[in-house]
Amino acid sequence: MLVNADLHVHSCFSMASSKDMVINNIAPQAKLKGLQLVGTGDGFHNGWLDIIEESTTYSGDGIYSKADCDFILTSEVEGLNRIHHLFILPNIEIAREISKKLISKNINSDGRARVKMSGAELLELGHEYGCLVGPAHAFTPWTGMYKSFDSIYDCYGGLKADFVELGLSADTDMADTIKELKDFPFLTNSDAHSPWPHRIGREFNQIDMDDVSFSSLKKAFEKKTIKANYGLIANLGKYHMTACTKCYKFVDPLLAKEKKMKCECKGTIKKGVDFRIKEIADWDLPHHPDHRPPYIHLMPLAEIISMVYETGVTTKTVQNIWHDLIKKLGNEIEILLKINLDEIAKIDENIKKAIESFRNKGLHIVPGGGGKYGEISLDKPLEEREVLKKEKLVSLDDF
């Protein structure tokens, strides 16, 4: 069976997460999005585990169910060097046992545990309890594994992680220029901090599983039966390009190094995922192994509606149109990728044109960087961000 799974989200207990990020909100929104399996996030926070137990029915083999949505225990952990690791756990009992072994001052104050443990120590601990463990958003400049290590094996002490999560600013074509990653399954997850469909499921995996269970998910990773990765267009990610985190100007990476990662505005420059991957790549073009599934670019429907009507994604205008489309045509994933354009036109001709342009890769895009997401436009080129290169401003075409 094919299962749409978003395996990395956060709960209301995580820093900067919405108070609405609770099971009773996540489950119905996930269904509207088109997801069947969602990670709980924050699986080492005992208060969140209590809520999961109170809000769901245990279906067995690691699955907790609510309103036609299945949940699996997951948690992000910040280890040494501020590197983030993703755990997928067999059940709540094991989550509570591991939480006792995590030496952390914030284990029950922040959903994301911060520990003084290396990647190797965390991987060994997870494997001791039968968990699946790998780097979260592996390439991001603040907390990704590759910001500190040139090799995944150095991060995990020569041990093999179970997967690599790409993050919002990278895709398969980028990651498969790195030879050492050819044997790893890639995950694309939302890292959502709010339950609304422009966040949850903005990246997800379509996985061939025997059934919805922890054992079946583990087998799918081992047998590499992920059938598709769905994710944002990578250059829309907020760390795709090297840029200043204060003024958001793009900066030539070589100039950034020369300036010791300090912008002329006194802000901090963050190395972009695009450049970081080029630094450690073995090939200029991707070498996809036989098991690698297609990477299908996705964009939240609410953001497409917002683009068309030039108003925010949470406004009544956008939300009313979004709910009308969902009510009449089905879940968001089906509308974005499969529903006949003529059916969409019957509801909103402008949205039909925008989705057609999205499907045909016809949207105008200015990349993201420095912590600011990229921008999209349907029918007119956007004003490009300034690029600092030596003593002059240049266009992105000069990169």
Side-chain angles (χ1 to χ4, degrees):
M1 62 187 297
L2 293 178
V3 177
N4 291 338
D6 181 357
L7 300 171
H8 182 179
V9 308
H10 288 274
S11 77
C12 58
F13 290 99
S14 272
M15 188 180 299
S17 279
S18 167
K19 65 180 183 353
D20 295 317
M21 203 62 172
V22 294
I23 296 294
N24 289 344
N25 289 330
I26 299 170
Q29 295 300 323
K31 183 178 180 181
L32 294 176
K33 186 75 178 190
L35 302 173
Q36 290 86 45
L37 182 63
V38 179
T40 61
D42 301 349
F44 296 129
H45 188 288
N46 286 291
W48 180 232
L49 293 177
D50 290 342
I51 291 175
I52 294 169
E53 288 184 312
E54 294 165 2
S55 305
T56 65
T57 301
Y58 186 53
S59 302
D61 201 349
I63 301 298
Y64 300 81
S65 303
K66 175 73 176 184
D68 297 324
C69 180
D70 291 325
F71 290 87
I72 192 164
L73 265 289
T74 62
S75 189
E76 187 181 48
V77 176
E78 182 178 293
L80 289 177
N81 299 318
R82 292 195 64 204
I83 294 173
H84 288 187
H85 309 267
L86 180 62
F87 279 66
I88 305 174
L89 301 126
N91 54 54
I92 283 179
E93 290 71 30
I94 285 177
R96 292 194 190 277
E97 282 297 313
I98 294 178
S99 70
K100 296 174 184 177
K101 296 190 175 185
L102 294 175
I103 304 170
S104 170
K105 294 181 179 179
N106 77 324
I107 196 72
N108 286 315
S109 61
D110 187 358
R112 183 193 296 112
R114 294 190 297 274
V115 302
K116 294 181 179 180
M117 299 174 70
S118 68
E121 290 172 318
L122 287 168
L123 184 60
E124 287 180 324
L125 178 61
H127 283 178
E128 179 185 342
Y129 285 90
C131 303
L132 298 163
V133 184
H137 39 75
F139 304 101
T140 53
W142 292 103
T143 55
M145 176 267 298
Y146 276 114
K147 61 101 177 177
S148 295
F149 295 96
D150 289 339
S151 170
I152 188 172
Y153 292 101
D154 291 341
C155 177
Y156 291 108
L159 303 174
K160 191 172 187 294
D162 298 297
F163 57 81
V164 173
E165 184 186 64
L166 299 181
L168 304 183
S169 297
D171 60 18
T172 298
D173 279 347
M174 296 169 68
D176 270 339
T177 61
I178 302 170
K179 184 178 181 180
E180 71 172 8
L181 296 182
K182 63 183 178 64
D183 293 328
F184 291 86
F186 289 164
L187 295 185
T188 41
N189 300 312
S190 71
D191 199 359
H193 287 63
S194 72
W196 317 125
H198 65 285
R199 291 290 183 249
I200 197 165
R202 59 185 168 179
E203 296 204 348
F204 70 93
N205 314 275
Q206 188 172 79
I207 308 173
D208 189 2
M209 300 170 63
D210 295 335
D211 53 36
V212 180
S213 66
F214 177 84
S215 298
S216 183
L217 182 65
K218 189 172 186 177
K219 179 181 176 182
F221 283 13
E222 292 169 350
K223 300 293 185 181
K224 298 182 176 65
T225 58
I226 297 174
K227 293 301 181 182
N229 294 112
Y230 291 82
L232 294 180
I233 300 169
N235 59 4
L236 286 174
K238 61 183 180 179
Y239 295 112
H240 184 77
M241 298 291 287
T242 300
C244 175
T245 59
K246 184 178 180 181
C247 71
Y248 300 119
K249 288 178 182 175
F250 295 126
V251 184
D252 179 332
L254 299 180
L255 177 62
K257 285 185 176 180
E258 183 181 303
K259 298 295 186 181
K260 300 187 186 304
M261 307 308 283
K262 285 295 180 183
C263 182
E264 58 184 16
C265 76
K266 309 302 182 186
T268 299
I269 300 168
K270 274 296 172 183
K271 185 185 296 184
V273 168
D274 177 67
F275 184 69
R276 179 56 181 146
I277 289 178
K278 287 176 180 176
E279 284 186 316
I280 57 177
D282 298 284
W283 305 296
D284 292 331
L285 296 175
H287 286 51
H288 299 303
D290 291 342
H291 68 84
R292 187 74 69 221
Y295 190 104
I296 299 167
H297 288 120
L298 198 68
M299 184 171 293
L301 179 58
E303 292 188 6
I304 291 177
I305 301 169
S306 172
M307 172 190 68
V308 170
Y309 287 96
E310 298 183 340
T311 188
V313 294
T314 60
T315 61
K316 285 186 177 180
T317 297
V318 171
Q319 291 301 309
N320 286 342
I321 295 171
W322 185 88
H323 281 287
D324 194 34
L325 288 164
I326 297 296
K327 181 179 179 180
K328 294 176 180 177
L329 297 178
N331 68 62
E332 178 173 319
I333 293 167
E334 293 287 322
I335 293 170
L336 286 168
L337 301 173
K338 295 182 180 180
I339 295 295
N340 187 283
L341 291 169
D342 291 337
E343 294 301 309
I344 299 173
K346 292 177 184 177
I347 300 171
D348 192 306
E349 177 66 28
N350 293 324
I351 300 304
K352 173 259 182 183
K353 291 178 181 178
I355 292 177
E356 183 177 26
S357 184
F358 160 69
R359 291 181 184 179
N360 294 332
K361 299 179 173 58
L363 297 177
H364 299 283
I365 294 175
V366 169
K372 182 180 180 181
Y373 286 107
E375 300 174 79
I376 57 172
S377 173
L378 175 61
D379 53 8
K380 58 183 178 183
L382 290 156
E383 182 179 346
E384 293 186 346
R385 286 203 235 171
E386 290 182 342
V387 182
L388 295 177
K389 186 171 183 179
K390 293 299 182 184
E391 299 304 321
K392 64 175 183 174
L393 297 176
V394 297
S395 75
L396 290 175
D397 294 334
D398 291 332
F399 265 59

PDB file of all heavy atoms in Angstrom, residues 297-312:
ATOM      1  N   HIS A 297       8.284  18.247  -7.234  1.00  0.00           N
ATOM      2  CA  HIS A 297       8.192  19.548  -6.587  1.00  0.00           C
ATOM      3  C   HIS A 297       6.740  19.879  -6.242  1.00  0.00           C
ATOM      4  O   HIS A 297       5.812  19.596  -7.001  1.00  0.00           O
ATOM      5  CB  HIS A 297       8.784  20.632  -7.481  1.00  0.00           C
ATOM      6  CG  HIS A 297      10.276  20.554  -7.559  1.00  0.00           C
ATOM      7  ND1 HIS A 297      10.960  20.353  -8.737  1.00  0.00           N
ATOM      8  CD2 HIS A 297      11.228  20.631  -6.593  1.00  0.00           C
ATOM      9  CE1 HIS A 297      12.263  20.320  -8.491  1.00  0.00           C
ATOM     10  NE2 HIS A 297      12.452  20.480  -7.209  1.00  0.00           N
ATOM     11  N   LEU A 298       6.606  20.477  -5.080  1.00  0.00           N
ATOM     12  CA  LEU A 298       5.293  20.752  -4.502  1.00  0.00           C
ATOM     13  C   LEU A 298       5.282  22.185  -3.998  1.00  0.00           C
ATOM     14  O   LEU A 298       6.327  22.743  -3.655  1.00  0.00           O
ATOM     15  CB  LEU A 298       5.045  19.782  -3.341  1.00  0.00           C
ATOM     16  CG  LEU A 298       3.631  19.562  -2.840  1.00  0.00           C
ATOM     17  CD1 LEU A 298       2.804  18.843  -3.903  1.00  0.00           C
ATOM     18  CD2 LEU A 298       3.660  18.729  -1.557  1.00  0.00           C
ATOM     19  N   MET A 299       4.104  22.766  -3.942  1.00  0.00           N
ATOM     20  CA  MET A 299       3.953  24.095  -3.369  1.00  0.00           C
ATOM     21  C   MET A 299       2.606  24.161  -2.658  1.00  0.00           C
ATOM     22  O   MET A 299       1.599  23.686  -3.197  1.00  0.00           O
ATOM     23  CB  MET A 299       4.020  25.152  -4.473  1.00  0.00           C
ATOM     24  CG  MET A 299       3.961  26.578  -3.976  1.00  0.00           C
ATOM     25  SD  MET A 299       4.304  27.736  -5.312  1.00  0.00           S
ATOM     26  CE  MET A 299       6.010  27.367  -5.631  1.00  0.00           C
ATOM     27  N   PRO A 300       2.533  24.692  -1.442  1.00  0.00           N
ATOM     28  CA  PRO A 300       1.255  24.742  -0.737  1.00  0.00           C
ATOM     29  C   PRO A 300       0.181  25.464  -1.539  1.00  0.00           C
ATOM     30  O   PRO A 300       0.429  26.540  -2.104  1.00  0.00           O
ATOM     31  CB  PRO A 300       1.597  25.494   0.553  1.00  0.00           C
ATOM     32  CG  PRO A 300       3.046  25.209   0.782  1.00  0.00           C
ATOM     33  CD  PRO A 300       3.644  25.188  -0.601  1.00  0.00           C
ATOM     34  N   LEU A 301      -0.998  24.875  -1.600  1.00  0.00           N
ATOM     35  CA  LEU A 301      -2.109  25.454  -2.352  1.00  0.00           C
ATOM     36  C   LEU A 301      -2.458  26.852  -1.845  1.00  0.00           C
ATOM     37  O   LEU A 301      -2.745  27.755  -2.641  1.00  0.00           O
ATOM     38  CB  LEU A 301      -3.320  24.528  -2.257  1.00  0.00           C
ATOM     39  CG  LEU A 301      -4.609  24.979  -2.957  1.00  0.00           C
ATOM     40  CD1 LEU A 301      -4.373  25.208  -4.449  1.00  0.00           C
ATOM     41  CD2 LEU A 301      -5.711  23.941  -2.738  1.00  0.00           C
ATOM     42  N   ALA A 302      -2.431  27.049  -0.533  1.00  0.00           N
ATOM     43  CA  ALA A 302      -2.761  28.364   0.029  1.00  0.00           C
ATOM     44  C   ALA A 302      -1.772  29.428  -0.460  1.00  0.00           C
ATOM     45  O   ALA A 302      -2.156  30.593  -0.651  1.00  0.00           O
ATOM     46  CB  ALA A 302      -2.767  28.308   1.553  1.00  0.00           C
ATOM     47  N   GLU A 303      -0.512  29.052  -0.672  1.00  0.00           N
ATOM     48  CA  GLU A 303       0.468  30.021  -1.161  1.00  0.00           C
ATOM     49  C   GLU A 303       0.213  30.368  -2.623  1.00  0.00           C
ATOM     50  O   GLU A 303       0.462  31.503  -3.054  1.00  0.00           O
ATOM     51  CB  GLU A 303       1.881  29.491  -0.955  1.00  0.00           C
ATOM     52  CG  GLU A 303       2.268  29.415   0.523  1.00  0.00           C
ATOM     53  CD  GLU A 303       3.726  29.075   0.748  1.00  0.00           C
ATOM     54  OE1 GLU A 303       4.490  28.998  -0.235  1.00  0.00           O
ATOM     55  OE2 GLU A 303       4.097  28.880   1.920  1.00  0.00           O
ATOM     56  N   ILE A 304      -0.277  29.407  -3.389  1.00  0.00           N
ATOM     57  CA  ILE A 304      -0.647  29.695  -4.781  1.00  0.00           C
ATOM     58  C   ILE A 304      -1.835  30.651  -4.819  1.00  0.00           C
ATOM     59  O   ILE A 304      -1.854  31.618  -5.585  1.00  0.00           O
ATOM     60  CB  ILE A 304      -0.954  28.390  -5.530  1.00  0.00           C
ATOM     61  CG1 ILE A 304       0.342  27.578  -5.712  1.00  0.00           C
ATOM     62  CG2 ILE A 304      -1.597  28.675  -6.887  1.00  0.00           C
ATOM     63  CD1 ILE A 304       0.144  26.230  -6.369  1.00  0.00           C
ATOM     64  N   ILE A 305      -2.841  30.387  -3.975  1.00  0.00           N
ATOM     65  CA  ILE A 305      -4.008  31.283  -3.899  1.00  0.00           C
ATOM     66  C   ILE A 305      -3.573  32.668  -3.437  1.00  0.00           C
ATOM     67  O   ILE A 305      -4.019  33.698  -3.968  1.00  0.00           O
ATOM     68  CB  ILE A 305      -5.070  30.704  -2.944  1.00  0.00           C
ATOM     69  CG1 ILE A 305      -5.529  29.329  -3.429  1.00  0.00           C
ATOM     70  CG2 ILE A 305      -6.267  31.656  -2.821  1.00  0.00           C
ATOM     71  CD1 ILE A 305      -6.380  28.566  -2.421  1.00  0.00           C
ATOM     72  N   SER A 306      -2.697  32.712  -2.446  1.00  0.00           N
ATOM     73  CA  SER A 306      -2.178  33.982  -1.928  1.00  0.00           C
ATOM     74  C   SER A 306      -1.465  34.769  -3.022  1.00  0.00           C
ATOM     75  O   SER A 306      -1.620  35.995  -3.136  1.00  0.00           O
ATOM     76  CB  SER A 306      -1.219  33.706  -0.767  1.00  0.00           C
ATOM     77  OG  SER A 306      -0.564  34.870  -0.347  1.00  0.00           O
ATOM     78  N   MET A 307      -0.696  34.076  -3.849  1.00  0.00           N
ATOM     79  CA  MET A 307       0.003  34.721  -4.960  1.00  0.00           C
ATOM     80  C   MET A 307      -0.976  35.328  -5.950  1.00  0.00           C
ATOM     81  O   MET A 307      -0.819  36.465  -6.398  1.00  0.00           O
ATOM     82  CB  MET A 307       0.896  33.696  -5.661  1.00  0.00           C
ATOM     83  CG  MET A 307       1.540  34.170  -6.946  1.00  0.00           C
ATOM     84  SD  MET A 307       2.348  32.823  -7.864  1.00  0.00           S
ATOM     85  CE  MET A 307       0.899  31.847  -8.379  1.00  0.00           C
ATOM     86  N   VAL A 308      -2.025  34.578  -6.276  1.00  0.00           N
ATOM     87  CA  VAL A 308      -2.999  35.026  -7.271  1.00  0.00           C
ATOM     88  C   VAL A 308      -3.750  36.264  -6.792  1.00  0.00           C
ATOM     89  O   VAL A 308      -3.937  37.242  -7.531  1.00  0.00           O
ATOM     90  CB  VAL A 308      -3.986  33.895  -7.611  1.00  0.00           C
ATOM     91  CG1 VAL A 308      -5.143  34.420  -8.457  1.00  0.00           C
ATOM     92  CG2 VAL A 308      -3.265  32.768  -8.335  1.00  0.00           C
ATOM     93  N   TYR A 309      -4.179  36.244  -5.524  1.00  0.00           N
ATOM     94  CA  TYR A 309      -5.014  37.331  -5.013  1.00  0.00           C
ATOM     95  C   TYR A 309      -4.233  38.365  -4.212  1.00  0.00           C
ATOM     96  O   TYR A 309      -4.813  39.304  -3.661  1.00  0.00           O
ATOM     97  CB  TYR A 309      -6.161  36.745  -4.180  1.00  0.00           C
ATOM     98  CG  TYR A 309      -7.195  36.082  -5.069  1.00  0.00           C
ATOM     99  CD1 TYR A 309      -7.162  34.715  -5.304  1.00  0.00           C
ATOM    100  CD2 TYR A 309      -8.159  36.842  -5.732  1.00  0.00           C
ATOM    101  CE1 TYR A 309      -8.088  34.102  -6.155  1.00  0.00           C
ATOM    102  CE2 TYR A 309      -9.078  36.249  -6.577  1.00  0.00           C
ATOM    103  CZ  TYR A 309      -9.033  34.878  -6.776  1.00  0.00           C
ATOM    104  OH  TYR A 309      -9.944  34.297  -7.630  1.00  0.00           O
ATOM    105  N   GLU A 310      -2.889  38.182  -4.173  1.00  0.00           N
ATOM    106  CA  GLU A 310      -1.991  39.162  -3.554  1.00  0.00           C
ATOM    107  C   GLU A 310      -2.427  39.545  -2.141  1.00  0.00           C
ATOM    108  O   GLU A 310      -2.530  40.713  -1.786  1.00  0.00           O
ATOM    109  CB  GLU A 310      -1.875  40.412  -4.445  1.00  0.00           C
ATOM    110  CG  GLU A 310      -1.290  40.111  -5.818  1.00  0.00           C
ATOM    111  CD  GLU A 310      -1.106  41.349  -6.674  1.00  0.00           C
ATOM    112  OE1 GLU A 310      -1.763  42.367  -6.389  1.00  0.00           O
ATOM    113  OE2 GLU A 310      -0.315  41.294  -7.631  1.00  0.00           O
ATOM    114  N   THR A 311      -2.685  38.520  -1.346  1.00  0.00           N
ATOM    115  CA  THR A 311      -3.040  38.713   0.057  1.00  0.00           C
ATOM    116  C   THR A 311      -2.507  37.530   0.856  1.00  0.00           C
ATOM    117  O   THR A 311      -2.159  36.494   0.276  1.00  0.00           O
ATOM    118  CB  THR A 311      -4.562  38.862   0.240  1.00  0.00           C
ATOM    119  OG1 THR A 311      -4.854  39.227   1.586  1.00  0.00           O
ATOM    120  CG2 THR A 311      -5.301  37.574  -0.123  1.00  0.00           C
ATOM    121  N   GLY A 312      -2.424  37.677   2.180  1.00  0.00           N
ATOM    122  CA  GLY A 312      -1.778  36.678   3.012  1.00  0.00           C
ATOM    123  C   GLY A 312      -2.468  35.329   3.037  1.00  0.00           C
ATOM    124  O   GLY A 312      -3.698  35.239   2.847  1.00  0.00           O
TER     125      GLY A 312
END
